[in-house]
Amino acid sequence: MTEQAADSAVVSGDLVVRAVLRTDVGLVRSENQDFGSYTTPTEERQSHPGGRLMIVADGMGGHRGGATASRLAAETVKAQYLGSETTDIAAALRDALSRANARIFSEAQANPELRGMGTTTSALAVRAGEGWFAHVGDSRIYRVRNDEIKQLTEDHSLVASMVREGLITPKEAETHPRRNVLQRSMGVAEDVEIDVQGPFDLQEGDTFILCSDGLHGLVKEPELKDVAKLDIDQAADEFVRLALTRGAPDNVTVIVARVERGKSEDVVDEASKLEETQELDAAQFDETVRDEKTEPVPALAASVDGDQTLKVAALSIEPPPPPAETTKTLEVSAPKPKKSGFATKLVVIVVVLIAAAGAWFYWAH
Ligand code: CA
């Protein structure tokens, strides 16, 4: 795994994307219902679509519904995308969101505590110098290029449609009492209309910001653009810090991703660390899926380019929600070996065999 990473990393000079993820419960909410995720180098190499997939989801619904919906959305979109049979990224993204919608809806139908849960989902895929996105809801994907910021996604919110119809101004939308009303979200109906765009060209230096409304509600475009010029780690930290200093009434989640020319030398250690962490984390996720009442699962973050060339990776965790804390880092504890279970089984098998042999010997003589 790591050796493959090292081999492919030797290819340099291609456009690669580095990304970091931060999520924070904010200062008012008791639970983080946002979820962010992105694919790791090994996952990307083993998939048909390839490339890097980044996802931000912002859940809604009580009794853990919101947190469940956003986690199901991010994890299902990622799994479906990686397992897709096609190399057509637009088709893979559309199918992945469609299946995630159906999965959240059926979970909600099956579990009264989760009924009515829903989530936004904004997913950006980057491969070989091109980008695609799929989107439902009011989380956003921005692109910062040179000194311009552009919101790539369209908000599926009531106030956004009122602005489009000329009924209110964008400024009025920011403080409108119904600004949280969504017109489209994932998981609330059997089907959902999904916005898909791409491929669009990438340029070296492009920076993408994927974020929930806990960030874009407090930090507006001019400031987003300026902060996005920092190193991506610093930018992501600064976004969370700005939200917190402004009261952070909502959960804050952001992925900052930058398109760069590939450099091989700083890649291998980070990539291999990430892969090890990912394996442990995947095991934890399987357990929590079966039990709705467990704490939120750590969100994964990684980065790689669109051409299988590894780049620096960063990790962050979706924490159980202690209030007023800033970005978390992932603490990985080694999984407990399952040798004791195996040893017990072995002893039982040996005892049974000895007993059977004894019985046969006794009976035969
Ligand atoms: Ca939110």
Side-chain angles (χ1 to χ4, degrees):
M1 209 173 352
T2 306
E3 282 178 16
Q4 284 177 354
D7 289 345
S8 58
V10 171
V11 181
S12 66
D14 295 323
L15 288 180
V16 298
V17 62
R18 285 198 306 128
V20 296
L21 163 66
R22 300 285 186 271
T23 186
D24 195 283
V25 70
L27 298 176
V28 174
R29 301 280 178 89
S30 61
E31 181 187 50
N32 194 341
Q33 299 192 329
D34 286 356
F35 202 96
S37 183
Y38 53 92
T39 50
T40 67
T42 295
E43 291 172 332
E44 290 155 16
R45 277 194 305 278
Q46 292 170 349
S47 75
H48 278 99
R52 159 133 308 174
L53 177 68
M54 296 158 271
I55 310 158
V56 165
D58 173 357
M60 62 211 82
H63 296 286
R64 302 206 48 74
T68 303
S70 61
R71 181 166 52 81
L72 278 176
E75 294 294 346
T76 308
V77 165
K78 183 172 151 180
Q80 291 293 337
Y81 176 88
L82 290 171
S84 176
E85 296 292 318
T86 180
T87 56
D88 177 344
I89 289 202
L93 281 175
R94 184 180 295 282
D95 186 55
L97 265 73
S98 175
R99 285 164 185 264
N101 178 76
R103 179 161 180 214
I104 299 162
F105 182 69
S106 68
E107 290 283 331
Q109 297 303 109
N111 188 337
E113 280 201 334
L114 301 176
R115 196 149 297 170
M117 68 176 172
T119 184
T120 73
T121 301
S122 298
L124 174 69
V126 171
R127 184 186 68 191
E130 293 183 318
W132 294 255
F133 73 76
H135 164 75
V136 172
D138 71 347
S139 298
R140 291 181 181 174
I141 303 174
Y142 294 96
R143 185 196 66 202
V144 181
R145 173 175 288 176
N146 301 321
D147 199 36
E148 280 181 24
I149 183 165
K150 183 181 179 192
Q151 183 182 334
L152 301 182
T153 50
E154 183 176 88
D155 292 352
H156 301 138
S157 63
L158 179 66
V159 291
S161 66
M162 289 168 77
V163 169
R164 286 193 290 274
E165 288 165 24
L167 299 173
I168 58 172
T169 66
K171 196 77 196 162
E172 287 167 338
E174 288 176 12
T175 53
H176 196 281
R178 302 191 71 200
R179 64 187 177 282
N180 291 326
V181 178
L182 288 186
Q183 292 183 318
R184 265 194 245 172
S185 58
M186 301 268 290
V188 296
E190 215 161 354
D191 293 305
V192 66
E193 188 185 347
I194 301 159
D195 291 353
V196 180
Q197 271 189 37
F200 43 86
D201 287 339
L202 304 184
Q203 291 181 10
E204 187 176 359
D206 281 352
T207 303
F208 292 94
I209 305 166
L210 290 78
C211 64
S212 61
D213 63 343
L215 180 67
H216 69 69
L218 295 173
V219 182
K220 299 302 174 186
E221 292 190 2
E223 210 169 10
L224 287 170
K225 183 191 74 180
D226 287 343
V227 172
K229 290 171 185 165
L230 298 171
D231 176 79
I232 56 171
D233 274 291
Q234 289 177 301
D237 288 340
E238 180 63 7
F239 284 140
V240 173
R241 194 192 68 78
L242 284 171
L244 291 172
T245 58
R246 291 165 194 181
D250 195 1
N251 309 140
V252 184
T253 298
V254 61
I255 293 174
V256 184
R258 180 158 301 145
V259 178
E260 298 177 345
R261 286 286 157 195
K263 285 173 263 164
S264 59
E265 54 272 16
D266 57 348
V267 169
V268 179
D269 288 348
E270 294 290 345
S272 52
K273 262 190 274 178
L274 175 76
E275 300 287 9
E276 288 165 16
T277 316
Q278 169 84 2
E279 282 172 19
L280 297 180
D281 207 64
Q284 289 168 7
F285 178 70
D286 286 346
E287 285 169 22
T288 47
V289 167
R290 283 182 224 111
D291 181 2
E292 305 289 2
K293 299 204 166 49
T294 48
E295 287 301 316
V297 185
L300 288 172
S303 66
V304 85
D305 70 320
D307 196 17
Q308 324 311 47
T309 306
L310 300 184
K311 279 294 294 168
V312 180
L315 283 164
S316 167
I317 187 171
E318 171 141 334
E325 282 190 28
T326 50
T327 320
K328 313 293 186 291
T329 45
L330 186 57
E331 288 179 29
V332 181
S333 55
K336 290 200 178 84
K338 295 184 177 172
K339 279 176 189 161
S340 59
F342 176 72
T344 309
K345 275 182 201 155
L346 195 64
V347 168
V348 169
I349 289 167
V350 169
V351 167
V352 167
L353 284 175
I354 290 170
W360 175 80
F361 190 80
Y362 178 80
W363 179 79
H365 295 82

